[in-house]
Amino acid sequence: MLVYTCICTANLRAQSRLENIMAQLKEAKNDTDVIKAYALLGHHYCFVNTDSGLMYSQKAMELSLKINNAQLYENSKYAYSINVYHQGNFDDAKKIFRQLIDTAQAHNDKAMLCKVYLGIAELYFDEGNYNQSLNNFLLSEQFYQLTNDSSGLRRAYNGIGKVYGVKEQYKEALPYFEKALYFSRVLNKDSVAILIGLGNIYKGLREYEKSKSYYNQIIALSESNQDFYNLASAYESRSQVFELQNNFSAAINDIDKATYYFYKINAENESCNMLARKAAIYYGMNNYADAAPLIEKALAIAEQNNYNDLIAISLHLQSRYFEHTHQYDLASKSMAQAHAIDDSLFSEEYEMQLQQLQQSYEVGKTEKENKLIVQENEILKNEIKNRNQYMKQGGALMIMFLVLMILLVRSNKMEAKHQIEVQLLNEEIETKKNELSLLNTQNELRFLAASLNPKFIFFSLDTIAAKLNTQDAEVASEYLAKFARLLRLILNLSDRKAISLKEELELLDYYFKLIQLQLSNNFQYQVEFHGDIIETEIFIPPMILQQFVEANISNKTMNLSIDIDIEGDILKTTLQSKDRESQFIISTDAASIEKINRRLKLFSSVIGSKHKAKDFISFQSQSVSLEIPCELNAL
């Protein structure tokens, strides 16, 4: 919602700014003024029409080369990179950003470094790589401080706060948003996005009155400016706070206002989302009669516009209504349709990952072809150099002798060249085979890692429904937030070959917190380390511990101990029940055990581990152990 609001606001500002730049372009008196106008048009068109932005940026770059002005060329190239980024070509944009960074560092261009680090930070944020995003926002802050750029510091502070907010590190985010707000007011800049950030942070800290005060400021500012985008955003955000306070009538009132303004700006997606949220609140109030028509309307809009994620949400809610009215056949049908769409969305994500891997393969293939061409050119250059040296030693007799020698040398070099070509071709063929084998292995690893137990998902959704039925909306909202965070972690980490032990334990912690909420905090666990373990320097397959725990504890286990030790490149994890009255039950789910063994065998082959155990899991009477091949200092 915050991103959508910022984009809409940026679009309006860009339209106004473009008109002024077009006027400047008409009045340009020399090539330098024309280049500056083209670059500005390229930069501001990124919010309106990226094709136009790329066109003007390219014109600026071409004219800069023509007049041999390196500084104007770099500024034009930056405008080009921003448009590439806004088109969604993240990999290409990263390459251009890195080129700009190298050039700026070589010329000690701090102003350019500020802009590029800020741009690549925003790119990593949109990509979901929040750690890299944070690192680059912090770098941009350092350079903006060196250049005393208050406007840039405002943007950097807002970005840092935004990343901490998404990572749910609310206390860390708060001072950065406050600094950003301070600079906004000093510079008389628009502060709506920052106020929304502060409202969201205080909502995360459960300081609901402070949160609402910031949303109220946005509403007052937006009403005076007739800013429908931010009005809709503020009402939608404030409705969430009312819902957390169990003030459902106020929440519904704000949702109605948000829906009205979303309709005014033709934001069908958000309007549909508001209808689904309103229906969910009615379900929490056991008001199924008012919820049913809202769900039908939301489903119709979602299907008309192909909003697959909202179709799935609407079908889940519709299934609950049919179940409440004892129409079990219809409930089952709606639930099956929702699950089919969920599977399709997951398949699209997996297909996108495969395409990215294929692109990486094609880039590697091109690099090898270029390497062969460079080597051929080098051979030819050396040949020409030698021949010219021979020709300078005059004399007819010597020339004839040298001609014979050149022909002999050329023959030998052609033979050597041929041998090099054959050798490189064989190496390329072998490399392609290895790359394809590694690609298949990594794809299989990612598929196995990205799967979450359907029973766990069912019980999670059932728990949310149960809490809503008991009108325990705050616990349901907390559970839903943690469940969403767990799914986000799974999607972010599952496409990586290996993650650190620290990241794996963070994912496992979210998993255990969900179990605690399911069991009303009756479930307890503790993790103990043995030996010299540095969590950030040990890398293992993603979700391996979560799958191991899930496969080997029963619903009777209420107090679980996890012992972690390391021997060489093997991380040994042991599960043991601490309950005196309940028995630790070893899972008999052979499929889950086989899946874990299969993942670890594949991972061993990818990292070249010498560990050749047939079964990585061993069972004892009251415990079960897992030996995980790992990489040390892998990243």
Side-chain angles (χ1 to χ4, degrees):
M1 169 61 67
L2 176 57
V3 174
Y4 173 79
T5 300
C6 292
I7 291 174
C8 291
T9 305
N11 285 346
L12 287 177
R13 291 179 183 162
Q15 289 282 11
S16 175
R17 183 67 174 141
L18 286 170
E19 294 175 2
N20 295 330
I21 299 171
M22 283 293 188
Q24 293 176 20
L25 180 60
K26 292 179 180 179
E27 298 175 359
K29 298 179 180 179
N30 51 52
D31 287 341
T32 300
D33 292 340
V34 172
I35 293 169
K36 290 180 179 179
Y38 279 153
L40 285 172
L41 285 170
H43 181 79
H44 289 283
Y45 259 118
C46 74
F47 300 107
V48 180
N49 185 327
T50 53
D51 290 334
S52 297
L54 289 172
M55 179 191 69
Y56 283 113
S57 301
Q58 286 176 324
K59 286 184 176 182
M61 291 166 67
E62 291 169 0
L63 191 53
S64 299
L65 290 173
K66 184 177 179 180
I67 67 172
N68 197 26
N69 190 318
Q71 185 175 7
L72 288 178
Y73 177 79
E74 293 301 312
N75 286 330
S76 304
K77 189 175 181 179
Y78 171 73
Y80 182 85
S81 68
I82 292 297
N83 282 277
V84 174
Y85 154 42
H86 279 272
Q87 278 195 334
N89 299 326
F90 290 163
D91 290 337
D92 292 340
K94 283 185 215 173
K95 291 178 183 177
I96 303 173
F97 279 137
R98 292 190 184 104
Q99 292 170 6
L100 289 167
I101 289 172
D102 291 340
T103 305
Q105 288 176 338
H107 295 88
N108 196 25
D109 188 349
K110 296 183 178 63
M112 178 59 71
L113 287 170
C114 292
K115 295 192 296 184
V116 177
Y117 280 128
L118 192 69
I120 201 169
E122 294 286 359
L123 184 153
Y124 277 122
F125 183 86
D126 289 345
E127 200 175 42
N129 191 340
Y130 300 122
N131 290 332
Q132 284 288 357
S133 177
L134 180 61
N135 290 337
N136 283 280
F137 272 127
L138 291 170
L139 284 171
S140 70
E141 177 205 1
Q142 293 175 14
F143 282 102
Y144 277 125
Q145 286 179 343
L146 290 174
T147 57
N148 293 319
D149 187 341
S150 299
S151 180
L153 278 172
R154 165 181 164 271
R155 296 177 63 192
Y157 287 141
N158 184 53
I160 296 169
K162 184 169 61 174
V163 176
Y164 277 129
V166 171
K167 296 175 71 174
E168 298 182 4
Q169 296 176 245
Y170 303 121
K171 292 182 179 178
E172 289 81 357
L174 189 57
Y176 286 102
F177 274 127
E178 289 175 342
K179 290 178 184 178
L181 184 60
Y182 167 77
F183 280 113
S184 289
R185 288 171 175 169
V186 168
L187 299 170
N188 196 26
K189 296 280 188 179
D190 180 41
S191 59
V192 169
I194 301 168
L195 291 172
I196 290 177
L198 282 165
N200 292 340
I201 293 303
Y202 279 114
K203 180 172 65 177
L205 292 170
R206 298 188 180 184
E207 297 186 35
Y208 299 133
E209 295 306 317
K210 284 187 178 180
S211 177
K212 287 191 292 187
S213 71
Y214 284 108
Y215 296 140
N216 292 339
Q217 292 180 51
I218 300 167
I219 291 170
L221 287 171
S222 302
E223 284 179 341
S224 63
N225 297 327
Q226 291 292 295
D227 187 348
F228 298 140
Y229 304 112
N230 289 323
L231 269 175
S233 173
Y235 279 123
E236 196 275 338
S237 299
R238 195 175 70 175
S239 72
Q240 295 176 357
V241 179
F242 281 128
E243 189 176 352
L244 291 170
Q245 292 179 311
N246 293 328
N247 189 345
F248 298 123
S249 60
I252 291 173
N253 185 47
D254 273 5
I255 288 175
D256 288 339
K257 291 179 180 178
T259 305
Y260 168 76
Y261 287 114
F262 280 132
Y263 272 127
K264 285 184 75 72
I265 60 175
N266 297 319
E268 290 285 349
N269 189 312
E270 298 297 338
S271 301
C272 182
N273 186 35
M274 292 299 97
L275 292 173
R277 272 203 60 217
K278 186 176 179 181
I281 293 175
Y282 277 133
Y283 278 149
M285 300 168 65
N286 291 325
N287 186 350
Y288 292 92
D290 288 336
L294 292 172
I295 291 302
E296 290 181 3
K297 188 175 181 180
L299 184 57
I301 295 173
E303 289 177 339
Q304 181 180 355
N305 294 279
N306 294 321
Y307 301 145
N308 289 334
D309 53 343
L310 291 175
I311 293 174
I313 292 171
S314 300
L315 286 170
H316 279 294
L317 292 171
Q318 189 182 64
S319 174
R320 288 183 54 197
Y321 171 75
F322 286 141
E323 184 179 359
H324 175 76
T325 55
H326 307 296
Q327 302 178 65
Y328 298 113
D329 289 342
L330 292 175
S332 177
K333 181 180 178 181
S334 295
M335 185 60 70
Q337 291 175 341
H339 286 163
I341 295 173
D342 289 336
D343 292 341
S344 174
L345 292 173
F346 177 79
S347 298
E348 290 175 4
E349 179 73 20
Y350 182 66
E351 187 67 28
M352 188 180 301
Q353 293 174 4
L354 286 179
Q355 290 176 359
Q356 292 174 351
L357 287 172
Q358 184 64 29
Q359 290 174 358
S360 299
Y361 167 74
E362 292 296 335
V363 169
K365 175 182 176 183
T366 303
E367 289 176 351
K368 288 191 176 296
E369 290 174 350
N370 291 337
K371 180 180 177 182
L372 180 61
I373 293 171
V374 169
Q375 288 182 344
E376 289 177 348
N377 290 335
E378 191 65 30
I379 291 173
L380 291 173
K381 286 179 183 178
N382 291 334
E383 180 182 338
I384 294 170
K385 180 179 178 181
N386 291 334
R387 185 171 58 190
N388 289 336
Q389 288 176 349
Y390 295 146
M391 291 296 290
K392 291 179 181 179
Q393 303 174 8
L397 194 60
M398 185 63 71
I399 289 174
M400 292 177 61
F401 175 76
L402 289 177
V403 168
L404 292 173
M405 290 297 294
I406 288 171
L407 291 173
L408 181 61
V409 170
R410 183 181 179 86
S411 176
N412 291 336
K413 287 188 175 181
M414 290 297 292
E415 180 64 25
K417 175 184 173 182
H418 177 69
Q419 291 178 358
I420 291 173
E421 289 176 346
V422 171
Q423 182 181 356
L424 288 175
L425 185 60
N426 290 333
E427 289 177 356
E428 183 180 0
I429 292 172
E430 188 62 27
T431 301
K432 288 179 181 178
K433 289 181 180 179
N434 293 335
E435 286 175 346
L436 289 173
S437 176
L438 180 61
L439 183 66
N440 290 333
T441 302
Q442 290 176 342
N443 287 342
E444 187 170 2
L445 276 171
R446 287 185 173 91
F447 178 78
L448 292 172
S451 56
L452 192 61
N453 193 323
K455 291 183 179 179
F456 175 74
I457 296 176
F458 172 79
F459 287 128
S460 297
L461 293 173
D462 190 57
T463 299
I464 295 171
K467 297 298 182 184
L468 288 172
N469 284 332
T470 57
Q471 296 191 8
D472 196 352
E474 184 170 351
V475 174
S477 179
E478 180 183 0
Y479 191 100
L480 184 59
K482 286 183 169 56
F483 183 64
R485 177 61 177 163
L486 177 61
L487 292 180
R488 182 187 299 162
L489 280 173
I490 290 170
L491 289 174
N492 287 342
L493 298 179
S494 62
D495 65 339
R496 288 165 52 183
K497 177 189 76 174
I499 64 174
S500 68
L501 179 59
K502 182 178 180 180
E503 291 173 315
E504 179 71 14
L505 291 175
E506 179 185 1
L507 187 148
L508 190 62
D509 182 61
Y510 272 96
Y511 174 77
F512 282 141
K513 285 178 180 177
L514 290 175
I515 294 178
Q516 286 179 330
L517 287 172
Q518 287 180 359
L519 301 177
S520 300
N521 292 319
N522 290 327
F523 175 81
Q524 302 294 326
Y525 74 96
Q526 59 183 1
V527 179
E528 296 181 1
F529 295 100
H530 303 279
D532 189 12
I533 293 179
I534 302 177
E535 298 173 46
T536 57
E537 296 184 3
I538 298 173
F539 293 82
I540 59 177
M543 291 181 63
I544 192 69
L545 289 182
Q546 184 271 331
Q547 292 176 354
F548 174 57
V549 170
E550 189 174 43
N552 290 288
I553 63 172
S554 73
N555 56 8
K556 297 181 180 179
T557 304
M558 293 298 173
N559 192 340
L560 182 65
S561 171
I562 304 175
D563 295 327
I564 300 177
D565 196 3
I566 188 165
E567 296 177 4
D569 64 346
I570 300 300
L571 189 73
K572 185 173 182 180
T573 304
T574 303
L575 304 182
Q576 187 170 6
S577 174
K578 293 295 185 178
D579 300 326
R580 295 182 177 179
E581 299 179 0
S582 66
Q583 182 181 3
F584 181 83
I585 299 178
I586 302 299
S587 171
T588 57
D589 187 358
S592 297
I593 302 302
E594 174 60 26
K595 176 180 175 181
I596 293 171
N597 276 319
R598 183 181 176 191
R599 281 194 67 196
L600 292 177
K601 288 177 183 177
L602 288 170
F603 185 75
S604 295
S605 67
V606 169
I607 67 173
S609 174
K610 297 180 180 179
H611 190 65
K612 303 298 181 183
K614 292 183 179 179
D615 292 312
F616 295 85
I617 301 177
S618 58
F619 300 95
Q620 295 81 38
S621 60
Q622 289 295 315
S623 65
V624 58
S625 298
L626 176 67
E627 294 183 356
I628 306 173
C630 61
E631 289 184 290
L632 304 178
N633 297 311
L635 297 178

